[in-house]
Amino acid sequence: MNQFDITDKIATAFGAGLLLLGIVGLGLVELVAGKPYSPVPLTNEAGEVIATPAIDPTLRTGLVLLGLLVLFVWGLYRAATPDTGVDRTPTEVTAD
């Protein structure tokens, strides 16, 4: 048995939500905001900043990394806790 308890559901939902927000959600905001799609400010020949991204790339990267960290810690938790729902009593199998 590999049942999810409430801790598993919260951790996976929170981690996946952060990943989706950082990648898809803020990516759509950047797309709707229009050009430039570059993660760095665009400059002209004189060095003046002519366009900047709508969402700071460090914010997006931070959300994605936080989501991955939550899922990694949840994975460590799942590996460290025993699975109590499994019946480990040996059974005899007879050949016909």
Side-chain angles (χ1 to χ4, degrees):
M1 288 272 175
N2 200 359
Q3 299 289 328
F4 271 25
D5 60 1
I6 191 69
T7 307
D8 299 327
K9 290 178 183 178
I10 290 172
T12 54
F14 186 62
L18 286 173
L19 285 171
L20 285 174
L21 177 65
I23 296 170
V24 178
L26 295 181
L28 287 174
V29 170
E30 282 287 334
L31 191 65
V32 169
K35 293 186 179 186
Y37 301 121
S38 172
V40 295
L42 297 178
T43 57
N44 59 12
E45 292 80 22
E48 298 171 336
V49 175
I50 57 173
T52 58
I55 303 294
D56 189 21
T58 55
L59 175 67
R60 291 184 70 185
T61 305
L63 285 173
V64 171
L65 289 177
L66 184 60
L68 289 174
L69 179 68
V70 167
L71 291 176
F72 179 73
V73 169
W74 169 74
L76 289 177
Y77 161 76
R78 286 290 289 182
T81 56
D83 193 7
T84 58
V86 176
D87 183 20
R88 298 196 185 271
T89 58
T91 57
E92 288 188 31
V93 178
T94 57
D96 288 332

